[in-house]
Structure formats: structure tokens, C-alpha cells
Amino acid sequence: MKRVVTVTPNPAIDLSYQVAGITPGASHRVAAPLSRAGGKGLNVARVAHQLGHPVLALAPSGGAVGAEFAAELRSSGVPHRLVPVAAETRRSIALVDTVGGETSIFNEQGSPLQPSEWQALAAAVVEALDGQGAGVLVGSGSLPPGAPADFYPALVRLAHDAGIPAVVDTSGPGIIAAARAGADLLKPNNHELLEATGEGSLEAAARQLIALGAKTVLVSAGAEGMLAFHHEAPGGYWSARLPEPLRGNPTGAGDAGVAAAAVALASGVSDILTILRSATAWSAAAVLMPAAGEISPLYADLENQLILTWKETL
Amino acid sequence: MKRVVTVTPNPAIDLSYQVAGITPGASHRVAAPLSRAGGKGLNVARVAHQLGHPVLALAPSGGAVGAEFAAELRSSGVPHRLVPVAAETRRSIALVDTVGGETSIFNEQGSPLQPSEWQALAAAVVEALDGQGAGVLVGSGSLPPGAPADFYPALVRLAHDAGIPAVVDTSGPGIIAAARAGADLLKPNNHELLEATGEGSLEAAARQLIALGAKTVLVSAGAEGMLAFHHEAPGGYWSARLPEPLRGNPTGAGDAGVAAAAVALASGVSDILTILRSATAWSAAAVLMPAAGEISPLYADLENQLILTWKETL
């Protein structure tokens, strides 16, 4: 099977703390956090790797936090290549209130890369796509401040030049730019999709992206499951959901869905219903796990429980 | 002038985030934190160093977070010697709510050191006290889990073997143990003092420590200023406070007071009133600064404003 190559331009070390009750203004004693090299593309690579698929995760990494990021990634066993940069890798801090049940997240926004560092990251992508090993290219997550506006469209072009499909999962203007570049699959969530397109309905928004050039738009909608729009099926869309929503940790659920879609595309599967089923099941299986970047082995059972609906809209 | 040698057995990298309003359960975007090699003994060394006094800060440091800690400490210019250990250095996370005005702190408790690592830390202390350079030994802060119960008493003995005074600023049973070992100065805050001694009044509690063997007990009491008890003045105590309490960041204020006391002792000053005055002023000057380990240049003005009171109690 061919490799899933992921690119994470703004990775983070994810620090997850369990806190027995959070009191604003107080001092809290906490155990050492679960520390993990994170960022959406890393989560995609971890999930595909967990299920035995060949992967390569690409990301910039810098400073002392970057060294911590690199050390965790090495110990994870996920094949990767880090591009050294001057800027410190960012952190994302999750405070899991084990009494109140809520998780509060504090995401550092990331630091700008130098132009030569963006070139080095692009060169790492070109090298990863060289030869016959790569089956799909996935670009995931936010961009650090000062990133080239065409970063995601450029990834789509590099994938197509190498003859493989491109998946992009980002928010904001990057979604529109990736659609214009002809991305094979976009995976916004419902909020990101409406915000990026300015449309009032998910269907109008997904159709806008397809009109711009995207082939497939997979929309994650939390407990509502997922919707799938395809450029060759203009008359409606598929949706998939579980009979009952699952309780758990939704962080990284969308990334698990992207992992499923990427594994399908890397295996030569392009059938939209097959992709929607596995993406919805893997995404639900991620909710059952305490950390992003892992899915429960129940994913196959969950796939069998899915309720699939075709909604005719023309 | 002789060096202030500080020992911080459970140091931390302090990460301080500014958050524009904290909503429990939500995701927050934050800028990169102020990152600083912290722990109470580091704060003491930083303040003394800031005011031009020679210092040497000793601490264990380990793992990727320890590398981050070491890098920040190098760039700070504070003379130090780090003892490499296997355990990861801990973090302390401060979330400063710039809307609500409150600061919430999350302190990792630290990881156990190996017996050979405790020996290496003690050996580093012995080496730092060798020769004529050291003027005072300061042991500050919490102990990591599994620390030898006699860590602080052993520091006091090492100082006395070297012919220099010992200052200890910790909480819990370590205060009692340091008093029994004959510490020259203890600097608990009011809460720590009552908790460690089980007494109902600050005076009874301080007198208990002096009866056990402590020479001087300096008690920090927040906006109330500081109280000073001395073994040669059993009939009462001195207190010092500003006419009006200052608004600001009290984190590290106690450590600045310890820095003042340590600088005095290293300079051969043992007069209790002189120590109380400078400790109270430096502590107040720390409240005016955004981060622990720094004091405002207004410390001399603040010292001139102090209201000093002798309270006769016999």
C-alpha cells in the first residue's frame, strides 16, 4: 500500500492536564501532563499508523519546545521528517476538569517561519512525493502568522504534479484557496465551512467549494455525524451518523475522519460512500479515546451501525 | 562581596499566558507565553543578580523540558550549575485573565529523583561552598515526591560546616526539620507557618520554630507586610509594612524578601531590623513587576516609606 504523507505547517506539543476542579484565581497542584507531538496532520498520521498503514508526517520544528516535540514523535514510532526552523514550536494546553467534566483549551498561535524555511518545508514535500511510495498528500491545520497565502494551493499542485490526490483540512481563506486549486477532498467542520464561505446552509457552502474546483467536500458536524458532497453528484448528498451520539473526547475526531479518507484515497478507493462510511466510523471511534491521534478498535463495529441517508436536493 | 548560593530541589519552567477572558470548556487562542526558568531558589538568585550581587543557582534539570529550562537560564545570565537528572523538569502554568484580572496557576508536582541524583545535587552544594566565595546558602521551595526527608536539614549542616549561614524557605514538615537543624533564617508565609506548626497564632508558631533551633523567623503576611522574630529578642517582634498595600503581581514577592535577607547575611549583616526592612521593601518592589524573579528599582523608596513597629509580647 502507498504512503499517506501529511503536512502540518503549524504543529504543537499538546499538553493535557487532569485537574480535580478548577477555581479561577487559585493555585492548583497537577500531575505531569500527557505530552504529545500534535497538530492536525500529526493526528492524521498517528491514526493511520495505528491501523497499520504506511505514513510519513512532515512538519517544521524549532527551539527547545521543538526538541521536546521531536523527542515525543521519535518515541511514538510514527515515521516523520521534521524541518528545522528558528522559531519555537508552539504549545497547546488542555485543562481537563475531572470534577466539572469540561475541557478548556489554550492554543498558542505559533511563530512566523522565515521564507527559506517555507522553501525547505516545500522541498521536504517534493522529496516525500518523489518516486512511487506516496499515495495521498494531506495538508492539515492552521497556518502560523505570516505564512504564504498560497501554502495549501501549492500543496494541492505538488500532489497533482506527482499524480496523487490532495486532501486539505484547514479553516478560513485556506479552504477557499484549496478548493480553487482543485483539492480532491476538503474536510471542514460545519462551523468552519459556513464561516469560510459566508453561506447560510451547509449545502450551499459545500456546493460553493465544489463550484470553485473541489472534488469532494466532507463536512463533520459533531453529533450529527458527517455529510459528503461530490462534484459528480450535484443532485444531493450523503449523510452518515450513529443511532445515538457517543460521549467522550471530540478532540481529534475530525482528524481521524481525514485519516480514514486519506487511507482510502491512498489505496485507490474513490467511492464517496465508502469514504464517508469509514471517515464517520473512525471519527466516532476517536471520540472514545482520551487523546487525539488514536481511535478505538471498535471502529469496525461502529461502521456497521451507521445510518446512511441520501438527501435529494435538486 | 561573597556569593549567595541558592538550591532549588524542585525547579520548574514557568509559562505565563495572557488570556483575554477565560471561558471554562472553550478553546482559547493565546500568544506565546513568557517562559522562565523558575522555582523559588531561582527567583531568589535572579533578584540578587539583578541588584548586582554575586550568586550561584543550583538545581536539578532533566528531559526536554529541562533543556528548555537550561536554555532560558543560560540566556538570563544568572550564574548557575544544573545537575543533570533523568526525570523531566516540571512546568508551572499561569493563566493571567486580562479581562477578569485573576491569575490561575497550575503547578506540576515534579518527578522523583534517583538516590544517586540526590547525591550529585548534594555534591554540587559541597563544591559551591568550597573555598571562600560563598557567603550564604539558601534552600527554597517544595521537594519533589520521594525526596529525602532530611534534605533541608542536610543543607543547613553543609552551610554550617562551611562556616556560613543557612536560609530555608519551604512549607510543610521541611520547615520544622530546618528549624531543628538550626537554620539561621526561615521565611514561611503566614499560612505555611500556621499549617506547619499547628499553632493558632503567628507569634506562637514563630516561637515554636525558634524553640526548636531557628535563629530568625521572617513571616511574610501579604498586604500586612512582614514580621520578624529573633532568638535573642524573646520579648516581642518587629513588623514592617507600607502605609498602603501595593497592587500588582504577588508571585515571587516572598522570594524577593528571601533575596534581600540572603544578600544581607552574605554581606555579614545580621541585624534583624536591617534584614526586615530590606526584605519587606524588596518583597513590595517585586509586587510591582509582572514576573517573579524581578523587583522594581523603587525598592529603596519603598524602604523609606516603611512603617516599623516593635510589638512587646512578654
Side-chain angles (χ1 to χ4, degrees), chain B residues 124-150:
Chain B
V125 174
V126 170
E127 197 179 310
L129 301 190
D130 194 32
Q132 300 300 311
V136 65
L137 180 63
V138 179
S140 288
S142 62
L143 294 168
D150 70 341

Side-chain angles (χ1 to χ4, degrees), chain A residues 145-230:
Chain A
D150 70 341
F151 180 75
Y152 280 126
L155 282 193
V156 172
R157 283 189 290 272
L158 288 176
H160 290 174
D161 288 351
I164 61 172
V167 176
V168 174
D169 179 8
T170 187
S171 54
I175 301 179
I176 306 293
R180 283 216 174 89
D184 297 272
L185 191 143
L186 297 174
K187 207 293 298 152
N189 67 33
N190 43 2
H191 305 296
E192 291 165 342
L193 177 60
L194 295 178
E195 193 196 335
T197 58
E199 297 282 359
S201 77
L202 295 179
E203 204 210 343
R207 288 291 160 207
Q208 184 193 120
L209 297 182
I210 286 174
L212 289 171
K215 305 287 183 300
T216 300
V217 179
L218 211 55
V219 186
S220 51
E224 304 291 304
M226 284 198 180
L227 315 180
F229 298 84
H230 193 264

Side-chain angles (χ1 to χ4, degrees), chain B residues 10-276:
Chain B
N10 198 20
I13 186 129
D14 290 336
L15 303 174
S16 184
Y17 289 93
Q18 308 264 324
V19 191
I22 297 178
T23 308
S27 198
H28 307 74
R29 181 161 286 209
V30 294
L34 182 67
S35 168
R36 191 162 283 190
K40 293 168 77 66
L42 274 303
N43 294 341
V44 171
R46 281 177 190 276
V47 169
H49 176 70
Q50 179 198 342
L51 296 208
H53 299 281
V55 303
L56 178 65
L58 305 176
S61 162
V65 180
E68 196 182 336
F69 177 91
E72 196 289 316
L73 196 49
R74 270 194 303 277
S75 76
S76 75
V78 174
H80 61 277
R81 168 143 176 236
L82 299 180
V83 173
V85 296
E88 193 85 16
T89 297
R90 70 193 176 114
R91 302 177 192 80
S92 172
I93 292 175
L95 301 177
V96 181
D97 185 337
T98 57
V99 174
E102 290 181 317
T103 297
S104 305
I105 294 177
F106 300 87
N107 285 316
E108 296 180 18
Q109 66 177 0
S111 302
L113 305 189
Q114 301 300 315
S116 63
E117 295 169 342
W118 284 110
Q119 286 166 16
L121 184 58
V125 174
V126 170
E127 197 179 310
L129 301 190
D130 194 32
Q132 300 300 311
V136 65
L137 180 63
V138 179
S140 288
S142 62
L143 294 168
D150 70 341
F151 180 76
Y152 280 125
L155 282 193
V156 173
R157 283 188 291 272
L158 289 176
H160 290 174
D161 289 351
I164 61 172
V167 176
V168 175
D169 180 8
T170 186
S171 54
I175 301 179
I176 306 291
R180 283 215 174 89
D184 297 273
L185 192 143
L186 298 174
K187 207 293 299 152
N189 67 34
N190 43 2
H191 306 297
E192 291 165 343
L193 177 59
L194 295 178
E195 194 195 336
T197 58
E199 298 282 0
S201 78
L202 295 179
E203 203 211 342
R207 287 291 161 207
Q208 183 191 122
L209 297 182
I210 286 174
L212 289 171
K215 306 286 184 299
T216 300
V217 179
L218 212 54
V219 185
S220 52
E224 304 292 304
M226 283 198 181
L227 314 181
F229 298 84
H230 193 263
H231 70 122
E232 287 171 350
Y237 61 89
W238 283 101
S239 72
R241 64 175 179 83
L242 287 171
E244 297 289 335
L246 297 173
R247 287 174 152 258
N249 171 21
T251 314
D255 303 330
V258 171
V263 163
L265 291 169
S267 313
V269 172
S270 61
D271 172 55
I272 179 70
L273 195 51
T274 306
I275 291 175
L276 174 65

Side-chain angles (χ1 to χ4, degrees), chain A residues 80-201:
Chain A
H80 60 276
R81 168 142 177 236
L82 299 180
V83 174
V85 297
E88 193 85 17
T89 297
R90 71 193 175 113
R91 302 178 192 79
S92 172
I93 292 175
L95 301 176
V96 181
D97 185 337
T98 56
V99 174
E102 290 181 317
T103 297
S104 305
I105 294 177
F106 300 87
N107 286 316
E108 294 180 19
Q109 65 178 1
S111 302
L113 305 189
Q114 301 300 315
S116 63
E117 296 169 341
W118 284 110
Q119 286 166 16
L121 184 58
V125 174
V126 169
E127 197 179 309
L129 302 189
D130 194 33
Q132 299 301 310
V136 65
L137 180 63
V138 179
S140 287
S142 62
L143 293 168
D150 70 341
F151 180 75
Y152 280 126
L155 282 193
V156 172
R157 283 189 290 272
L158 288 176
H160 290 174
D161 288 351
I164 61 172
V167 176
V168 174
D169 179 8
T170 187
S171 54
I175 301 179
I176 306 293
R180 283 216 174 89
D184 297 272
L185 191 143
L186 297 174
K187 207 293 298 152
N189 67 33
N190 43 2
H191 305 296
E192 291 165 342
L193 177 60
L194 295 178
E195 193 196 335
T197 58
E199 297 282 359
S201 77

